[in-house]
Amino acid sequence: MWRGLSVLASRTTRAPSRWLCVCLRSGAQSLAPGSTVFALSSGQGRCGIAVIRTSGPASGLALRSLTAPREPPPARSAALRLLRHPRSGEPLDRALVLWFPGPQSFTGEDCVEFHVHGGPAVVSGVLEALGSVPGLRAAEAGEFTKRAFAHGKLSLTEVEGLADLIHAETEAQRRQALRQLEGELGQLGQHWAETLTKALAHVEAYIDFGEDDNLEEGVLEQADKEVRALEVSLQAHLRDARRGQRLRSGAHVVVAGPPNAGKSSLVNMLSRKPVSIVSPEPGTTRDVLETPVDLAGFPVLLSDTAGLREGVGPVEQEGVHRARQRLEQADIILALLDASDLGSSSSCDFLDTVVVPLAAQRPDDGQRLLLVLNKSDLLPPEGRVPSPGLPPHLLLSCLTGAGLDDLLKALRTQLAAVCGDPSIGPPLLTRARHQHHLQACLDALSQYQPASDLALAAEALRVARRHLSHLTGGGGTEEILDLIFRDFCVGK
C-alpha cells in the first residue's frame, strides 16, 4: 500500500517544480541561453569604490580579457589586477577582481566582480571595455536577481524581500525585509504546500485503494484533520488587517483638531522640518499637507489638516471637507486639543463628533486614536489635569517639547499594532498578491468535502496547492514576474 502511496506523493509534487520551466520559457532576453550581462551594481555618482559585475557563460572571458596577461584569481578570492581595454590595451584602473564560478554564485551562473575606483570616468571606461568583449551586453533592470530566481537561488518571496531591503528606509522595514529575504515567508508557504501534498496523496490513495484491505485505518480522517488545521492557519494570517503592507508602504497618521490647537506645530516637530506654516491666526492651514517620516522606526505618511469648524469661507470649508476625508482614511488619528481651551465650542464639538466615537471603538475594529492635549505649558502647576471626564490622553507642549517622549512611545505602540512588529511573530504578508493567493487557497479549501465526493475533494486540494505554489513563484506569469523585477535597479 505504502509503495502506491509514495508513487502518488511523488506524482503530486512534480507540478510546483515547473516554475523554472515557465520562467525560462517567458521569452525574456535576459534568460536567453548563452547570454552574458554586465552592469554597475553600486550606486550612481562619485564614490570611493564602485562594483561592476557580470553574469553568464562569457564572464570568464571578460575577466581574462580585462586582466591579461595575468591569470584569473582563485575562485571566491579577491586579487589586485591592472585592468586594460581588451582592444587598445590602454590601462583603465587598478582594481580588486573576484571570480565566482557557477553554480556557487548569486545568480547560479559564472560571475565576476570588478571593484574599481568610483570616479565617473573610471566606471564608464570599464563598462565600455566590457561592452567590447564578444558575447556581453548591458543588463536590464533587475536582471541579475531574475537570473537568480530562474536558477532556483531565490524564491519569489525572497526576491520581494530583497527588493524591500534595497528600498527600506526605516528600521522596521529593514527587519521585515531581511526576514523575508532569509526565506521565512517562503518556508511557511512551502510547509503549507507540503501539508496539502500529503493530504492529497492520502485522498488519492483512498480513491485508488479504498476497496482493498491494505490501507491503514484513519488515513482519510488524518488528511481531513490536517486540512482543517491548515484552514485555521491561513485564516489567522489573512486576519492581519494588511499590517505587512502598511509596514512596507507606510501607515497613514492624520493630525486633526479644532483651529489653533497646534496641529501644524506638532507635524513640524514630528517631521523635524518646517512642513506647515505656524501662525496664531485661526485657519492658516486650508489644505491637507502630507510628508513621509520615520516615527519610532516605522514608515509613516503624516498629514496636517485644516482645523475642524463650521461657518467659515468657501476655501477653508473645502479644507475642512478634505480634512474629514483624511480622517476616514487614517490608520491612526492624533486628535489634538488646546489644553487651556477645552471649554470652547470648537473643542467640545471635536470631542463629541470625533474623539468620543473613536474612543468607544475597539482597536481591532479599525482606526486607532491618540488624544493629545497640547499647550500644557499654559496650564497652572496646580491644575495639570485639565478635566477628569476626558478619555485617556497625553499632555504635550510643542513649545517646550515636554511630553514628546511619552507621545513617541505611545505612537510606537500603536504603529506596532497597525504595522506589526517585524522582530517577533510569524512572517507578515507584505504585498497584495500574498493576500490574494492565500485567500484563493482558502476559497478552494472551502470546497473540500471528502464526505460527499472524494474526487471533487482531491481537485479542491490540487487547486489550493496551485495557489500556494504561486506564492513562492510556481507557475507565475511573465507579466507578474516583470512587475516584481521592475522594482530593482540596473545591476541588481
Side-chain angles (χ1 to χ4, degrees):
M1 169 264 165
W2 293 115
R3 181 184 60 81
L5 188 56
S6 65
V7 170
L8 288 168
S10 64
R11 188 173 71 201
T12 57
T13 55
R14 287 181 192 137
S17 66
R18 292 186 307 212
W19 65 266
L20 179 59
C21 299
V22 171
C23 188
L24 291 175
R25 289 200 304 265
S26 66
Q29 178 188 10
S30 61
L31 300 180
S35 66
T36 300
V37 296
F38 65 91
L40 173 66
S41 291
S42 52
Q44 297 286 343
R46 290 179 175 85
C47 56
I49 299 294
V51 179
I52 298 171
R53 63 177 175 176
T54 72
S55 180
S59 291
L61 173 62
L63 175 60
R64 292 190 296 273
S65 298
L66 269 67
T67 60
R70 299 286 301 275
E71 289 294 320
R76 286 168 286 280
S77 297
L80 186 65
R81 293 287 189 271
L82 178 64
L83 303 185
R84 296 179 181 273
H85 197 286
R87 293 181 179 174
S88 66
E90 177 188 2
L92 300 173
D93 191 23
R94 190 171 295 274
L96 284 178
V97 298
L98 294 98
W99 164 239
F100 299 97
Q104 302 300 319
S105 67
F106 172 71
T107 63
E109 303 174 324
D110 290 347
C111 293
V112 173
E113 288 187 2
F114 300 93
H115 294 223
V116 303
H117 293 96
V122 174
V123 171
S124 62
V126 175
L127 291 175
E128 194 277 329
L130 286 172
S132 69
V133 177
L136 267 70
R137 63 169 177 82
E140 300 170 357
E143 190 162 354
F144 287 88
T145 306
K146 197 168 188 177
R147 289 176 176 229
F149 170 71
H151 290 93
K153 292 293 183 177
L154 295 173
S155 69
L156 198 55
T157 52
E158 291 169 343
V159 167
E160 292 168 330
L162 178 57
D164 291 344
L165 186 61
I166 292 172
H167 294 291
E169 296 181 349
T170 69
E171 190 71 12
Q173 287 176 319
R174 179 190 63 79
R175 290 174 180 168
Q176 166 59 27
L178 194 57
R179 285 186 66 180
Q180 191 163 325
L181 175 59
E182 289 175 347
E184 290 192 24
L185 181 58
Q187 291 166 10
L188 181 61
Q190 183 179 1
H191 171 70
W192 287 335
E194 289 172 353
T195 298
L196 288 180
T197 299
K198 182 179 178 181
L200 179 58
H202 285 172
V203 171
E204 291 193 344
Y206 197 89
I207 292 173
D208 290 347
F209 308 111
E211 296 181 357
D212 301 335
D213 295 331
N214 295 328
L215 279 178
E216 293 184 3
E217 293 184 3
V219 168
L220 203 58
E221 290 76 7
Q222 179 64 26
D224 186 68
K225 179 180 177 181
E226 292 176 352
V227 169
R228 300 312 173 195
L230 176 59
E231 284 185 295
V232 173
S233 181
L234 292 176
Q235 289 168 350
H237 278 78
L238 287 170
R239 282 197 303 267
D240 73 348
R242 295 180 53 251
R243 290 185 302 164
Q245 293 180 57
R246 289 194 191 97
L247 180 60
R248 180 171 172 263
S249 58
H252 194 182
V253 177
V254 173
V255 181
N260 268 17
K263 299 183 296 298
S264 296
S265 297
L266 178 57
V267 168
N268 291 345
M269 178 183 288
L270 292 176
S271 60
R272 297 183 292 276
K273 60 184 179 182
V275 175
S276 304
I277 297 175
V278 177
S279 169
E281 178 183 346
T284 302
T285 302
R286 297 191 174 190
D287 203 349
V288 178
L289 301 177
E290 296 181 328
T291 182
V293 297
D294 179 348
L295 280 183
F298 289 89
V300 164
L301 181 64
L302 187 62
S303 297
D304 186 13
T305 59
L308 301 179
R309 63 174 177 175
E310 303 296 337
V312 294
V315 176
E316 187 177 348
Q317 196 60 45
E318 176 62 24
V320 172
H321 174 68
R322 296 185 182 188
R324 295 190 185 279
Q325 286 183 324
R326 283 298 190 278
L327 281 174
E328 296 175 357
Q329 300 166 2
D331 297 312
I332 299 174
I333 296 173
L334 284 179
L336 203 65
L337 287 172
D338 184 343
S340 64
D341 190 31
L342 293 177
S344 67
S345 59
S346 59
S347 294
C348 292
D349 183 64
F350 182 71
L351 279 169
D352 292 338
T353 60
V354 177
V355 175
V356 173
L358 285 173
Q361 291 182 1
R362 294 189 309 162
D364 294 339
D365 290 340
Q367 295 175 316
R368 292 173 175 265
L369 173 77
L370 280 177
L371 177 59
V372 181
L373 304 185
N374 187 29
K375 305 183 183 181
S376 62
D377 53 287
L378 298 181
L379 295 176
E382 65 277 5
R384 301 297 288 180
V385 180
S387 173
L390 284 174
H393 57 270
L394 298 166
L395 287 176
L396 174 70
S397 172
C398 289
L399 179 65
T400 66
L404 179 60
D405 289 342
D406 290 338
L407 175 59
L408 290 176
K409 183 178 179 180
L411 270 172
R412 175 174 177 77
T413 301
Q414 297 291 345
L415 286 168
V418 166
C419 299
D421 190 340
S423 302
I424 58 175
L428 299 172
L429 308 178
T430 57
R431 304 197 180 218
R433 80 169 192 90
H434 301 164
Q435 295 264 352
H436 167 74
H437 290 309
L438 290 197
Q439 185 61 57
C441 176
L442 195 59
D443 292 343
L445 291 181
S446 68
Q447 305 300 316
Y448 173 74
Q449 303 294 336
S452 57
D453 192 314
L454 280 178
L456 291 179
E459 180 60 22
L461 293 180
R462 277 189 286 269
V463 173
R465 193 188 56 180
R466 190 179 308 129
H467 284 293
L468 284 182
S469 72
H470 289 325
L471 180 67
T472 54
T477 65
E478 182 181 355
E479 290 79 8
I480 296 296
L481 297 178
D482 286 344
L483 283 173
I484 292 171
F485 288 104
R486 193 179 299 164
D487 285 342
F488 290 93
C489 58
V490 175
K492 193 62 180 175

